[in-house]
Amino acid sequence: MQEQSTCVSTARGDIIDVHAHVLPGVDDGARDREESIRLLEMAYSQGVRAVIATPHYSRRGRNQGYEEIAVGLEECFRQKHPDFRIWVGQETYYHEELAERLRQGLGHTMAGSRYVLVEYDTGVSFQTLCRGLRQLTDAGYIPILAHLERYSCLYEKGRVEELISHGSKMQMNYESLTGHFYDRQTRWCRKQVLEGHIHLLGSDMHRLDFRPPEITEALAWLKKHTDAAVWDLLVRKNAERIIRDEMIP
């Protein structure tokens, strides 16, 4: 699976989902292949033509064999949708040994690149979050902060910009753009997009009954409030840069 990571075959305008718990039976996402296929069908109907599958990292459990699972799922789904692609990544939970474990091959970067999708406890302090991301950067990785909207410490002015200035990239879930305008979090999320602080959007799809891929409303907001260039960066172009292991500006 990883040896194909430099070949991006999605057409211009197609969506690449960079955060998807779609591999069957490996974490709290899709429970079996049937559910994986149904989730991918939902995503495909909304314009998604590729995903980077990101099962949760576990320090105690399984972190291997994902490539074979992804190949089987891709082959099955491509029987109906031959233009679809699946790459392997992982949503890693930050811990002090993460960089070393990645170096040893005990975890997955995004599509075999230098990019690492990393999450924290939602109540993490800014100092702890910043230190961990800097540790990954110092080790030669490019951290992508998963669903940054969940970390209350980032709502203080200037903190997202500080992380970006240190080399981190920001991923936001589509659903965070779809709340009511009067909701503080929704306003903050939309502001981050409009101010250019978000590099990637993802569905964070899990199961049919828990966080299915529902991105149409968010895409409609993006079309109304951003131009085509911003749209392309958030839903496709920056994801392609990850797959090709190129720098996201």
Side-chain angles (χ1 to χ4, degrees), residues 22-31 55-56 62 66 69:
V22 74
L23 296 186
V26 301
D27 64 356
D28 62 343
R31 287 160 283 205
H56 287 291
R62 172 184 186 175
Y66 295 152
I69 296 171

Side-chain angles (χ1 to χ4, degrees), residues 47-99:
V48 176
R49 294 296 179 267
V51 300
I52 302 179
T54 54
H56 287 291
Y57 177 88
S58 172
R59 279 182 276 182
R60 295 177 296 275
R62 172 184 186 175
N63 292 297
Q64 303 300 320
Y66 295 152
E67 291 89 349
E68 292 79 6
I69 296 171
V71 167
L73 180 61
E74 182 184 75
E75 289 177 348
C76 182
F77 195 69
R78 280 167 65 94
Q79 291 178 19
K80 183 177 180 181
H81 303 291
D83 57 337
F84 200 84
R85 295 298 309 278
I86 300 175
W87 285 272
V88 173
Q90 200 160 23
E91 183 178 14
T92 62
Y93 182 84
Y94 180 79
H95 56 285
E96 293 294 330
E97 299 82 24
L98 178 58

Side-chain angles (χ1 to χ4, degrees), residues 10-203:
T10 54
R12 180 172 177 81
D14 291 342
I15 297 167
I16 303 175
D17 189 350
V18 299
H19 191 160
H21 298 267
V22 74
L23 296 186
V26 301
D27 64 356
D28 62 343
R31 287 160 283 205
D32 52 37
R33 182 178 286 189
E34 180 182 357
E35 186 167 32
S36 295
I37 294 297
R38 292 178 66 185
L39 288 168
L40 292 177
E41 286 285 4
M42 290 180 66
Y44 192 92
S45 71
Q46 297 171 80
V48 176
R49 294 296 179 267
V51 300
I52 302 179
T54 54
H56 287 291
Y57 177 88
S58 172
R59 279 182 276 182
R60 295 177 296 275
R62 172 184 186 175
N63 292 297
Q64 303 300 320
Y66 295 152
E67 291 89 349
E68 292 79 6
I69 296 171
V71 167
L73 180 61
E74 182 184 75
E75 289 177 348
C76 182
F77 195 69
R78 280 167 65 94
Q79 291 178 19
K80 183 177 180 181
H81 303 291
D83 57 337
F84 200 84
R85 295 298 309 278
I86 300 175
W87 285 272
V88 173
Q90 200 160 23
E91 183 178 14
T92 62
Y93 182 84
Y94 180 79
H95 56 285
E96 293 294 330
E97 299 82 24
L98 178 58
E100 178 61 21
R101 293 191 180 200
L102 289 170
R103 189 190 68 79
Q104 294 175 3
L106 301 178
H108 292 271
T109 60
M110 299 289 277
S113 70
R114 292 165 290 170
Y115 290 89
V116 181
L117 185 66
V118 58
E119 68 170 340
Y120 288 79
D121 284 332
T122 57
V124 65
S125 70
F126 181 70
Q127 291 74 22
T128 298
L129 191 154
C130 190
R131 180 173 58 83
L133 296 179
R134 286 293 295 269
Q135 184 186 66
L136 288 170
T137 302
D138 291 344
Y141 296 103
I142 305 173
I144 303 169
L145 184 59
H147 40 60
L148 86 161
E149 65 273 16
R150 297 184 184 177
Y151 309 110
S152 57
C153 67
L154 296 184
Y155 283 60
E156 186 172 320
K157 186 176 176 62
R159 286 187 165 178
V160 174
E161 296 94 317
E162 183 175 344
L163 295 180
I164 294 171
S165 73
H166 294 160
S168 296
K169 307 305 176 184
M170 302 294 119
Q171 183 260 311
M172 180 177 285
N173 286 358
Y174 281 101
E175 65 178 357
S176 298
L177 299 173
T178 62
H180 197 282
F181 174 77
Y182 294 107
D183 180 77
R184 175 176 176 267
Q185 185 183 63
T186 301
R187 291 200 312 273
W188 184 86
C189 289
R190 291 175 175 178
K191 181 179 180 181
Q192 301 313 304
V193 169
L194 295 175
E195 292 185 351
H197 299 155
I198 306 303
H199 303 93
L200 301 147
L201 291 170
S203 71

Side-chain angles (χ1 to χ4, degrees), residues 222-242:
L222 282 173
K223 285 184 177 180
K224 183 176 181 180
H225 296 280
T226 67
D227 60 25
V230 171
W231 160 284
D232 203 33
L233 285 173
L234 293 176
V235 309
R236 183 188 67 88
K237 191 169 185 178
N238 282 341
E240 288 187 338
R241 286 170 169 153
I242 291 173

